[in-house]
Amino acid sequence: MSDGQRAGTTPKKKAVRTADIAERAEATRAALIAAGRRLFVEKGYFATGTEEIVAAAGVGTRGALYHHFPNKQALFMAVFLEVQEELHSQAPQPDEAGDSLLALRRGLRAYLKSSQTGEVQRILLVDGPAVLGWQQWRALQVQFGLGSIRALLERAMQQGAVAEQPVDVLAHVLLAATDEAAQFIANASDSRRAREEAVVVIDGLLASLGHQRR
């Protein structure tokens, strides 16, 4: 008989205990992300203290925060990625689009519209570049947005809606233009008017691609 069995702790009980600990840890992490997300939107990253996050999450002390995240910036990164993943999941996929150029236009318009919402505006477009630094922020934008844009452009070329041209360069240029337009909207005093103007510009860029048919 092993020492663990003598003490009344069977391998099954250990497994259950380990699972319970992991479940509680995941619940704590999720509560911290949810609290951080809400406060970062309401107050902004720089005006939000770690004490507020811990209190809002109901996890006791800042030790719980630092157990899961080395600092507030790491928590912000987790929130940023969560918002990005939700936004990315709504992007049109090329295999679902009959008209890929139309699907791309709708997807970019949806992104510009989302730049008016609190979470995308504050977390992704206003605080994101300031907290993460432009280089890392840009790399994440490319990671999440470039693939969908490239796939839709490639299929649009196959459909004859866009002239054959270097698709990688075109996807990067279109992503950069749309990101700049979204930031313009997020920082504008009149975001509704800014979005209307941005939609005209982005639609014009896409229309010019369609006019290049051969």
Side-chain angles (χ1 to χ4, degrees):
M1 181 179 294
S2 68
D3 292 340
Q5 288 174 320
R6 290 193 189 96
T9 303
T10 65
K12 185 176 181 180
K13 288 181 179 180
K14 286 183 179 180
V16 170
R17 183 179 301 169
T18 300
D20 287 343
I21 293 172
E23 186 176 343
R24 287 196 296 271
E26 183 58 32
T28 299
R29 187 177 188 278
L32 288 165
I33 291 175
R37 181 168 175 165
R38 178 173 61 79
L39 289 169
F40 292 152
V41 172
E42 292 176 357
K43 304 183 64 176
Y45 173 85
F46 297 102
T48 300
T50 53
E51 298 89 347
E52 293 176 275
I53 296 170
V54 169
V59 297
T61 67
R62 284 191 294 178
L65 171 64
Y66 295 133
H67 175 75
H68 293 278
F69 304 98
N71 49 45
K72 187 174 72 166
Q73 185 179 16
L75 173 61
F76 179 84
M77 172 64 88
V79 171
F80 183 97
L81 291 175
E82 185 175 82
V83 176
Q84 270 283 24
E85 287 166 359
E86 290 175 6
L87 189 63
H88 180 68
S89 69
Q90 300 167 12
Q93 300 302 313
D95 59 343
E96 299 174 358
D99 183 334
S100 293
L101 188 58
L102 178 60
L104 180 58
R105 178 180 290 110
R106 287 174 174 168
L108 296 183
R109 281 189 173 193
Y111 176 48
L112 294 179
K113 183 177 181 179
S114 73
S115 66
Q116 292 180 281
T117 64
E119 292 184 333
V120 173
Q121 182 184 63
R122 170 63 76 173
I123 293 170
L124 297 191
L125 299 172
V126 176
D127 282 351
V131 176
L132 303 178
W134 189 89
Q135 187 172 5
Q136 186 175 24
W137 175 82
R138 175 64 179 164
L140 289 168
Q141 293 295 92
V142 169
Q143 176 185 332
F144 282 93
L146 189 65
S148 297
I149 291 175
R150 188 191 186 285
L152 288 167
L153 283 173
E154 189 171 41
R155 180 160 176 175
M157 290 180 190
Q158 294 169 354
Q159 294 172 342
V162 173
E164 292 291 337
Q165 55 193 293
V167 67
D168 288 327
V169 175
L170 181 58
H172 273 276
V173 169
L174 191 54
L175 174 63
T178 308
D179 274 340
E180 285 296 320
Q183 284 199 307
F184 175 77
I185 296 167
N187 290 282
S189 57
D190 186 344
S191 62
R192 181 176 178 180
R193 179 177 178 181
R195 179 169 68 89
E196 291 173 353
E197 294 174 345
V199 166
V200 170
V201 172
I202 297 300
D203 277 357
L205 290 176
L206 293 175
S208 71
L209 299 177
H211 291 160
Q212 296 176 21
R213 296 183 183 181
R214 295 175 180 173

